[in-house]
Amino acid sequence: MTNLSVELAPRHASGLSLKNPVLAASGTFGYGNEYAKLIDVNRLGAVVSKAITLRPREGNAQPRIAETPSGMLNAIGLQNVGLNVAVREKAPMWASWSVPVIANIAGFTVDEYVRVAETLSETPGVAAIELNISCPNVASEGEMFGLSGASAALVTREVRAVCDVPLLVKLSPNVTDIVEIARAVVDAGADALTLINTIPGMVIDVRRRQPYLANLTGGLSGPAIRPIAVRMVWQVAQAVDVPIVGVGGVASTDDALQFIMAGASAVQIGTGTFVNPGTMLDVVDGLQVFLESEGIEDVNDLIGVAARRAETNFEA
Amino acid sequence: MTNLSVELAPRHASGLSLKNPVLAASGTFGYGNEYAKLIDVNRLGAVVSKAITLRPREGNAQPRIAETPSGMLNAIGLQNVGLNVAVREKAPMWASWSVPVIANIAGFTVDEYVRVAETLSETPGVAAIELNISCPNVASEGEMFGLSGASAALVTREVRAVCDVPLLVKLSPNVTDIVEIARAVVDAGADALTLINTIPGMVIDVRRRQPYLANLTGGLSGPAIRPIAVRMVWQVAQAVDVPIVGVGGVASTDDALQFIMAGASAVQIGTGTFVNPGTMLDVVDGLQVFLESEGIEDVNDLIGVAARRAETNFEA
Amino acid sequence: MKTGLASVIANDEIAERVYVVRLEEPDQARDVRAGQFVHVKCGGTADPLLRRPLSVLRTGANPRNRLPAGQYDVLYDVVGRGTDLLSHLRPGDLVDVLGPLGQPFQIERTTKRLLLVGGGVGIVPLVALAEEALRRQLEVTLLAGFRNARKAFPANLVPEEVEYVVATDDGSLGHAGLVTALIPSYLNWADQLCACGPKPMLKALTELPRTRKLPTQIAMEEHMGCAMGVCLGCVVPTRHGYQRVCRDGPVFSLEEIIWS
Amino acid sequence: MKTGLASVIANDEIAERVYVVRLEEPDQARDVRAGQFVHVKCGGTADPLLRRPLSVLRTGANPRNRLPAGQYDVLYDVVGRGTDLLSHLRPGDLVDVLGPLGQPFQIERTTKRLLLVGGGVGIVPLVALAEEALRRQLEVTLLAGFRNARKAFPANLVPEEVEYVVATDDGSLGHAGLVTALIPSYLNWADQLCACGPKPMLKALTELPRTRKLPTQIAMEEHMGCAMGVCLGCVVPTRHGYQRVCRDGPVFSLEEIIWS
Ligand SMILES: Cc1cc2nc3c(=O)[nH]c(=O)nc-3n(C[C@H](O)[C@H](O)[C@H](O)COP(=O)(O)OP(=O)(O)OC[C@H]3O[C@@H](n4cnc5c(N)ncnc54)[C@H](O)[C@@H]3O)c2cc1C
Ligand SMILES: Cc1cc2nc3c(=O)[nH]c(=O)nc-3n(C[C@H](O)[C@H](O)[C@H](O)COP(=O)(O)OP(=O)(O)OC[C@H]3O[C@@H](n4cnc5c(N)ncnc54)[C@H](O)[C@@H]3O)c2cc1C
Ligand SMILES: Cc1cc2nc3c(=O)[nH]c(=O)nc-3n(C[C@H](O)[C@H](O)[C@H](O)COP(=O)(O)O)c2cc1C
Ligand SMILES: Cc1cc2nc3c(=O)[nH]c(=O)nc-3n(C[C@H](O)[C@H](O)[C@H](O)COP(=O)(O)O)c2cc1C
Ligand code: FES
Ligand code: FES
């Protein structure tokens, strides 16, 4: 009776309609099969793959992860099998599933992004592409693509031109004005936005008196960043008219509802799955229960409801 | 035997030498006397006052605070007694203490900052001024002063011109490039930098389907933000040559050591005091124990040690 | 006032998801007055982060209470993560407690008949106050409202000498309806009123039919950060501007408060 | 493999700050093999956030172990916040456990004399392996290194049939010095070696005087995020690139590993 399905790419011919708004976040669900013994992957709204780069990558040295209060840092360094293996070995598996798989892609030059996107967009089994722009741009002294509206728009535009499937762009939170970046990326052709990627952080190993991670810094994820992610989703939702996929610290149905009410059409869950592999399916079930108990017929009616209420209830 | 004292304003005639590197953070220790029944305030390195504005401020409506995973949001709205009462009633009390009191100041125009700074800098009992630039700038459509190098430098320069005591500038973390802001502010005359202020966040009350805080957003503090704060201190320490005061989520001696090893000359403790009023003095004692057990004579030898080690140990 | 590690003597469920934990911390037990609260760390890690404010139910310092001098009782309803962690405490465990904090209720010198009105866990400080009043040989009536019979506190929690009248929202125990509906018949009897409970209940006190001035004190609740008066997170609007529930309160004179 | 709420049957300190917790979760007890581990949530809140990997010491599924079929034992050294939380568990508590995980030790078909070398808690999976080996009637020697006598595990933790030789860093029990110094005299006796312990100990195995090929498996440790093979946080460099300790290991052939 109640409807949990959402559309992530209304501007695109495919629509990218998902049976529910709960996705596995990139880098936290491998290529989608690793958790198959524990959960029914086909019950998810969608799976986002680990970042795929043009060539296979070894990733960073150890240590790669560190626990922090209600969070964790990771500095995996985009270890992945590379485009060819993804196309040859992973995509056929994805094509056999009923759950759509969104390929997360990364690169260090615009050309790399374009080549990966072009190939994947033509590969059966890839339902959409998520552009990870939190990568160092070799051409700009390693500054991340996602840190300026101009470079974020540039890579989005070039990828858009070669990408036939829906295109999600995943924003870095590490900016003064997330709204500016969001607008630039939407203008450049993004069908939807995913936010947020991890926030750069550092832990010092005080015994050894040096940074704990071999990479020095790592990306902060988990419940610790949830209030920041919800705030950014809220801000961007007021400013753009494409669907937003909220991500950052979701560990429960209430957390997912926070994102949806702040303006997200769907959520991704990453670190929450590490802590409890059942989190995503618990949230799918929990949303169903919430809608029924509150007498709401369609989850779409909840998207951004907090902004509409705040307008009437606060003078802010 | 071991030395815990640090200098926060080596460029300034006064030096601002503190007997230890542990300070009470602004807004979390009132005007310094509220905790007197619980701890010996004179054992602190320094106390930073609640933000003082030109006129008294009522602050925001309720709710003003929300708990988040390993953190809290606050949206107090700079409630304070205002400059006149601070000078008349608080400063004489400060003047009678052996612990230096640093007055944190806030404003909504450059002129407000200047007037508050000028008066306080001439007031006995005020050892230094900490400029809180995370305030909305009325002249720039309410964008925070701290969000651009230019406006941060502007307010720093104007305040510097009227401020005879040492000047600390407290940076907002909510920027793409904290190093750029830090450099601008140091060039404009800051004796030291304090970082970080809180990170904007939001919690949605899913029962009421609206933002929980009356102010919609609030500032995230506490252990959740510590890895972000340590990373920013590290980045800024590589770029500027004035002392840095690290703040964000310190709750133990090890946390304080992380900041110091990342490049901070001192730490401030805020939310940690709410959780455990003894935190600051525990850290003072803990630093002493650490130095002794590691055979280090001077805490100054630890400042930035992690960067020096990382250079030799990692190829980063 | 101090931060102390109190040891758990007992922790028993006295109504549905409502517990009384008996703590031993002599300094805190000695100092506490009715209406004051303690600020309790729940669990030993950074999540949940903040302490939880809880009123003191009774202290061994009052010889009327049958518990050792160094002990005191705190009553809590399990409503969230912090109180849930408390419900797992067992005798011998240590809890980090800050307090006692805040301004207590003040019984006026002329008061002879004290009317107490409590909603839910709001009756906790009123039980403490009743003990103080009985020590001074006052007559005390406690009107208590609960959601239903399962949430109602057993009568043995309230001193025998107190006239204890219960109302439940669903009528499953005592009078059916709001506790405030019971007040009017006591208005002529009482010469002081003290109340604690949810905001709508307290606000309803401003609308009672008053034939004469009845000094009224209320204990307020607000979410707290520091509980030491510094964070300004717990303020309520009063006729002299925002006041802090943790330091200027939690007990306020009813007429001071500005209701929204 | 599953996520299950295991109930605590017992939780006892067996050496200084070293505990054995007995858990009941029949599916996990049934499936687990020596060298595999479980991933344990410590405390019920977001801090500490991540699960902790702990090897299984013995399972009721092996009839040699005197414990009910649905139960298994995990041994842990209290080294930080997660293991400290575990040390407060009491019988009847529930713990959220994911597992069993990882690749077990493999006893080669031709092995008759199994040499086990463990450092500290590294002997845990070796005790499990000894039980498996004894079931197949192998001869087993376990060389165990501990920091000192207080940290050494009592001999009754190790099956009687095993030759159990202890070394301590400070000589307070057994041989003084590193456990690896004991290995050479067993090299001719053994036809397979399995080891687990700190990295320097494992690395030292590559430098043993070898007169003939001795098949050697080692169980590695790395900090873990998911323990399901997806986060790539736990990798170790091997001759076929980075391998995941949680999924491709923790047991690796010694010669696969590239030491830095
Ligand atoms: C002065 C004072 C005295 C109190 N005395 C008692 C008492 O004797 N017995 C009792 O059961 N309760 C009492 N309360 C309410 C009690 O503090 C809350 O029920 C408790 O903090 C809830 O914590 P939680 O983690 O279980 O709930 P959660 O909802 O998980 O708490 C989340 C956050 O909200 C805060 N919070 C939630 N509800 C309240 C509330 N009603 N008041 C203040 N903060 C709240 C928590 O402290 C925490 O910071 C009192 C509150 C105040 C201010
Ligand atoms: C496959 C495997 C099997 C293990 N088996 C056992 C066992 O049987 N008994 C035992 O006592 N210990 C075992 N360990 C080590 C155990 O996981 C750590 O001691 C434990 O995680 C420490 O947690 P903590 O919260 O007490 O320490 P903290 O230092 O507070 O932990 C902080 C973070 O570092 C991680 N961490 C710290 N030390 C280690 C370590 N040595 N290995 C992996 N992660 C670590 C923690 O998991 C956590 O994420 C094993 C480790 C692995 C990888
Ligand atoms: C171990 C790890 C690896 C990740 N790898 C990627 C990646 O390859 N591409 C990407 O866009 N995001 C990656 N992320 C970021 C997550 O997809 C997500 O944006 C972030 O973790 C916040 O969500 P969470 O708090 O639910 O984990 C990774 C996160 C983690 C923890
Ligand atoms: C309740 C509260 C009020 C604050 N008020 C101020 C303020 O008036 N001026 C200021 O510069 N910072 C203020 N801060 C920020 C703190 O000084 C500090 O930068 C921040 O909380 C991070 O440190 P912490 O994690 O130790 O709390 C406030 C923080 C809190 C929690
Ligand atoms: S709780 Fe901080 S001022 Fe009252
Ligand atoms: S712990 Fe995540 S891959 Fe091994």
Side-chain angles (χ1 to χ4, degrees):
Chain A
M1 282 278 305
T2 53
N3 173 52
L4 275 183
S5 78
V6 295
E7 256 199 18
L8 288 193
R11 288 177 167 196
H12 190 275
S14 93
L16 194 57
S17 166
L18 310 183
K19 64 177 156 310
N20 66 58
V22 182
L23 291 74
S26 178
T28 67
F29 209 64
Y31 300 100
N33 54 324
E34 291 86 344
Y35 275 92
K37 274 195 190 163
L38 285 178
I39 67 168
D40 180 357
V41 176
N42 281 317
R43 287 193 56 215
L44 297 173
V47 167
V48 185
S49 77
K50 174 74 194 160
I52 297 165
T53 52
L54 188 58
R55 272 169 287 272
R57 284 177 56 89
E58 278 260 291
N60 292 328
Q62 283 286 6
R64 290 179 167 190
I65 58 176
E67 193 182 47
T68 69
S70 297
M72 63 177 280
L73 295 180
N74 86 78
I76 307 303
L78 294 176
Q79 178 180 341
N80 79 101
V81 296
L83 179 63
N84 288 343
V85 176
V87 169
R88 217 168 46 229
E89 292 175 16
K90 309 299 179 186
M93 170 177 81
W94 300 338
S96 74
W97 295 347
S98 69
V99 61
V101 176
I102 300 172
N104 181 282
I105 70 168
F108 303 87
T109 64
V110 173
D111 183 54
E112 268 178 45
Y113 274 109
V114 166
R115 288 166 64 188
V116 176
E118 186 161 27
T119 304
L120 285 172
S121 127
E122 291 159 359
T123 304
V126 174
I129 283 178
E130 183 179 76
L131 197 62
N132 170 1
I133 55 175
S134 302
C135 301
N137 178 351
V138 173
S140 311
E141 294 172 343
E143 185 178 283
M144 275 198 247
F145 288 95
L147 296 194
S148 85
S151 63
L154 173 69
V155 61
T156 303
R157 203 175 310 111
E158 297 293 320
V159 165
R160 170 80 288 174
V162 300
C163 174
D164 291 332
V165 294
L167 179 64
L168 291 75
V169 179
K170 183 166 177 182
L171 305 186
S172 163
N174 197 30
V175 296
T176 309
D177 187 358
I178 188 88
V179 168
E180 179 214 331
I181 315 273
R183 284 209 180 99
V185 156
V186 170
D187 289 346
D191 290 305
L193 300 176
T194 303
L195 54 145
I196 59 176
N197 214 316
T198 56
I199 306 176
M202 178 183 271
V203 167
I204 305 279
D205 179 339
V206 299
R207 304 303 134 204
R208 294 167 60 235
R209 300 185 206 165
Q210 62 182 41
Y212 177 79
L213 296 174
N215 188 54
L216 307 183
T217 62
L220 184 62
S221 65
I225 68 169
R226 192 197 311 139
I228 302 172
V230 170
R231 183 260 301 175
M232 289 191 163
V233 165
W234 165 280
Q235 286 180 303
V236 171
Q238 322 293 304
V240 302
D241 54 3
V242 301
I244 295 170
V245 183
V247 50
V250 176
S252 70
T253 302
D254 274 11
D255 300 343
L257 285 168
Q258 286 200 50
F259 279 97
I260 293 170
M261 291 178 183
S265 297
V267 296
Q268 292 179 358
I269 298 180
T271 307
T273 297
F274 300 169
V275 176
N276 174 8
T279 305
M280 291 185 287
L281 295 185
D282 288 352
V283 171
V284 172
D285 295 338
L287 289 176
Q288 184 77 40
V289 168
F290 180 84
L291 291 182
E292 281 165 13
S293 71
E294 302 273 309
I296 299 164
E297 277 176 21
D298 188 342
V299 71
N300 288 280
D301 295 342
L302 285 179
I303 299 170
V305 67
R308 298 195 291 277
R309 294 225 172 184
E311 264 172 41
T312 32
N313 295 0
F314 295 115
E315 319 125 65
Chain B
M1 280 275 304
T2 53
N3 174 51
L4 275 184
S5 78
V6 295
E7 256 198 18
L8 288 193
R11 290 175 167 197
H12 190 275
S14 92
L16 193 57
S17 169
L18 310 183
K19 66 177 154 313
N20 66 58
V22 182
L23 291 74
S26 177
T28 68
F29 210 64
Y31 300 100
N33 53 324
E34 291 86 343
Y35 275 92
K37 274 195 189 163
L38 285 178
I39 67 169
D40 180 357
V41 176
N42 281 316
R43 286 194 56 215
L44 296 172
V47 167
V48 185
S49 77
K50 174 72 195 163
I52 296 165
T53 51
L54 188 57
R55 273 170 287 273
R57 283 177 57 89
E58 277 259 292
N60 292 328
Q62 281 289 7
R64 289 179 167 189
I65 59 176
E67 193 183 48
T68 69
S70 296
M72 65 177 279
L73 295 180
N74 87 78
I76 307 303
L78 295 176
Q79 178 181 341
N80 80 101
V81 296
L83 179 62
N84 288 345
V85 176
V87 169
R88 216 167 50 228
E89 292 176 16
K90 309 299 178 185
M93 169 178 82
W94 300 339
S96 75
W97 295 348
S98 69
V99 61
V101 175
I102 299 172
N104 182 280
I105 70 168
F108 303 87
T109 64
V110 172
D111 182 56
E112 267 178 46
Y113 275 110
V114 166
R115 287 164 68 186
V116 176
E118 186 161 26
T119 305
L120 285 172
S121 128
E122 290 159 0
T123 304
V126 174
I129 281 177
E130 182 178 78
L131 196 62
N132 171 1
I133 55 174
S134 301
C135 299
N137 178 350
V138 173
S140 310
E141 295 172 343
E143 185 177 283
M144 277 198 245
F145 287 97
L147 296 194
S148 86
S151 62
L154 172 69
V155 59
T156 304
R157 203 175 309 111
E158 297 294 319
V159 165
R160 170 79 292 173
V162 299
C163 173
D164 292 332
V165 294
L167 178 65
L168 291 77
V169 178
K170 183 165 179 183
L171 305 186
S172 163
N174 197 30
V175 296
T176 309
D177 188 357
I178 190 88
V179 167
E180 179 215 329
I181 315 273
R183 285 209 179 100
V185 156
V186 170
D187 289 345
D191 290 305
L193 300 176
T194 304
L195 53 145
I196 59 175
N197 214 316
T198 55
I199 305 176
M202 177 183 274
V203 167
I204 306 280
D205 179 339
V206 298
R207 305 300 137 207
R208 294 167 59 235
R209 302 186 206 163
Q210 64 182 40
Y212 178 78
L213 297 174
N215 187 53
L216 307 183
T217 62
L220 184 63
S221 65
I225 68 170
R226 192 198 310 138
I228 303 171
V230 170
R231 184 259 301 175
M232 289 192 164
V233 165
W234 165 279
Q235 287 181 301
V236 172
Q238 321 292 304
V240 302
D241 55 3
V242 300
I244 294 169
V245 182
V247 51
V250 175
S252 71
T253 302
D254 274 12
D255 301 342
L257 285 167
Q258 285 200 51
F259 279 97
I260 292 169
M261 292 179 183
S265 297
V267 295
Q268 291 178 359
I269 298 180
T271 307
T273 298
F274 300 168
V275 176
N276 174 9
T279 305
M280 291 186 286
L281 295 185
D282 288 351
V283 171
V284 172
D285 295 339
L287 289 175
Q288 183 78 38
V289 169
F290 180 86
L291 291 182
E292 281 165 12
S293 70
E294 302 273 309
I296 301 165
E297 278 176 20
D298 188 342
V299 71
N300 289 279
D301 295 342
L302 285 179
I303 299 170
V305 67
R308 298 195 290 278
R309 295 225 172 182
E311 264 172 41
T312 33
N313 295 359
F314 295 114
E315 318 125 63
Chain C
M1 184 209 309
K2 67 182 277 195
T3 329
L5 282 181
S7 52
V8 174
I9 304 298
N11 189 25
D12 300 314
E13 190 167 1
I14 60 136
E16 191 181 59
R17 302 301 282 149
V18 177
Y19 290 72
V20 171
V21 60
R22 178 156 299 178
L23 298 171
E24 181 160 282
E25 217 295 337
D27 296 329
Q28 293 173 338
R30 186 176 48 243
D31 286 349
V32 68
R33 296 275 318 279
Q36 289 191 301
F37 64 99
V38 288
H39 210 31
V40 182
K41 180 82 181 101
C42 307
T45 80
D47 182 57
L49 183 68
L50 300 172
R51 291 169 182 265
R52 297 328 194 220
L54 296 170
S55 305
V56 173
L57 174 68
R58 55 193 162 205
T59 164
N62 182 338
R64 283 191 41 90
N65 295 321
R66 282 172 226 104
L67 66 167
Q71 302 181 1
Y72 59 96
D73 286 349
V74 169
L75 179 151
Y76 57 94
D77 194 0
V78 176
V79 297
R81 293 177 335 133
T83 46
D84 183 61
L85 281 166
L86 292 182
S87 73
H88 289 95
L89 289 172
R90 280 175 279 197
D93 288 343
L94 296 175
V95 206
D96 182 350
V97 182
L98 165 62
L101 300 166
Q103 306 305 321
F105 283 108
Q106 302 287 356
I107 302 174
E108 314 243 324
R109 220 155 344 118
T110 54
T111 298
K112 300 221 166 66
R113 288 177 300 273
L114 183 62
L115 178 61
L116 306 177
V117 180
V121 294
I123 84 163
V124 173
L126 303 177
V127 169
L129 183 59
E131 295 287 4
E132 286 188 17
L134 289 170
R135 227 178 142 184
R136 290 162 63 170
Q137 270 139 3
L138 271 61
E139 287 176 52
V140 184
T141 297
L142 170 56
L143 311 179
F146 298 104
R147 218 170 321 141
N148 56 47
R150 293 189 311 283
K151 282 300 223 185
F153 304 164
N156 68 8
L157 211 80
V158 180
E160 273 181 9
E161 301 88 332
V162 170
E163 184 188 347
Y164 181 43
V165 187
V166 170
T168 51
D169 296 355
D170 65 355
S172 54
L173 188 76
H175 299 259
L178 295 179
V179 64
T180 42
L182 303 176
I183 302 176
S185 34
Y186 293 85
L187 281 180
N188 284 327
W189 170 81
D191 47 21
Q192 181 173 357
L193 193 162
C194 293
C196 181
K199 251 185 216 154
M201 185 198 101
L202 298 177
K203 193 177 171 190
L205 300 179
T206 61
E207 289 143 22
L208 289 176
R210 305 254 175 165
T211 46
R212 62 192 171 104
K213 192 172 150 45
L214 181 67
T216 302
Q217 291 170 23
I218 58 172
M220 306 272 295
E221 281 187 9
E222 269 305 336
H223 288 216
M224 290 189 178
C226 64
M228 290 293 295
V230 299
C231 76
L232 308 178
C234 68
V235 298
V236 286
T238 77
R239 306 211 180 278
H240 342 97
Y242 277 124
Q243 299 275 308
R244 300 161 298 182
V245 169
C246 69
R247 193 122 174 165
D248 307 310
V251 175
F252 293 94
S253 163
L254 177 64
E255 57 207 18
E256 267 186 276
I257 303 300
I258 298 172
W259 302 95
S260 54
Chain D
M1 183 210 308
K2 66 181 279 194
T3 329
L5 283 181
S7 52
V8 174
I9 305 297
N11 189 26
D12 300 314
E13 189 166 5
I14 60 136
E16 190 180 62
R17 302 300 284 146
V18 176
Y19 290 72
V20 172
V21 62
R22 178 156 300 177
L23 297 171
E24 180 160 282
E25 216 296 336
D27 296 329
Q28 294 174 337
R30 186 177 48 241
D31 286 348
V32 68
R33 298 277 317 279
Q36 289 192 299
F37 64 98
V38 287
H39 210 32
V40 183
K41 180 80 181 104
C42 306
T45 80
D47 182 58
L49 183 67
L50 300 172
R51 291 168 181 266
R52 294 339 193 208
L54 296 170
S55 305
V56 173
L57 175 68
R58 56 193 160 206
T59 164
N62 182 338
R64 282 191 44 89
N65 294 320
R66 283 172 228 103
L67 64 167
Q71 302 182 1
Y72 59 95
D73 285 350
V74 168
L75 179 152
Y76 58 94
D77 195 0
V78 177
V79 299
R81 294 182 326 135
T83 46
D84 183 61
L85 281 166
L86 292 182
S87 73
H88 289 96
L89 289 173
R90 281 175 279 195
D93 287 345
L94 295 176
V95 205
D96 182 351
V97 182
L98 165 62
L101 300 165
Q103 306 306 321
F105 283 109
Q106 303 288 355
I107 303 175
E108 314 241 325
R109 215 149 352 113
T110 54
T111 298
K112 298 222 168 63
R113 288 176 300 274
L114 183 62
L115 178 61
L116 306 177
V117 180
V121 293
I123 84 161
V124 173
L126 303 177
V127 169
L129 183 59
E131 294 287 6
E132 286 189 15
L134 290 170
R135 227 180 140 184
R136 290 163 60 171
Q137 270 140 4
L138 272 60
E139 288 176 52
V140 183
T141 297
L142 169 56
L143 311 178
F146 299 103
R147 220 171 319 141
N148 56 47
R150 292 189 311 282
K151 281 300 223 185
F153 303 164
N156 67 9
L157 210 77
V158 180
E160 272 181 8
E161 301 87 332
V162 170
E163 186 185 345
Y164 181 43
V165 187
V166 170
T168 51
D169 296 355
D170 65 356
S172 54
L173 187 75
H175 299 261
L178 295 179
V179 65
T180 42
L182 304 177
I183 302 177
S185 33
Y186 292 86
L187 281 180
N188 285 328
W189 169 82
D191 46 23
Q192 182 175 355
L193 194 162
C194 292
C196 181
K199 250 184 217 153
M201 184 199 102
L202 298 177
K203 192 177 172 189
L205 300 179
T206 62
E207 289 143 22
L208 289 175
R210 305 255 175 162
T211 47
R212 61 189 171 104
K213 191 171 150 44
L214 181 66
T216 302
Q217 291 169 24
I218 58 173
M220 308 271 296
E221 281 186 10
E222 270 304 339
H223 288 215
M224 291 189 178
C226 63
M228 290 293 296
V230 299
C231 77
L232 307 177
C234 67
V235 298
V236 287
T238 76
R239 303 208 184 281
H240 342 98
Y242 277 124
Q243 299 274 309
R244 300 161 299 182
V245 170
C246 69
R247 194 123 174 163
D248 308 311
V251 175
F252 294 94
S253 163
L254 177 64
E255 57 207 17
E256 267 185 276
I257 303 299
I258 298 171
W259 303 95
S260 56

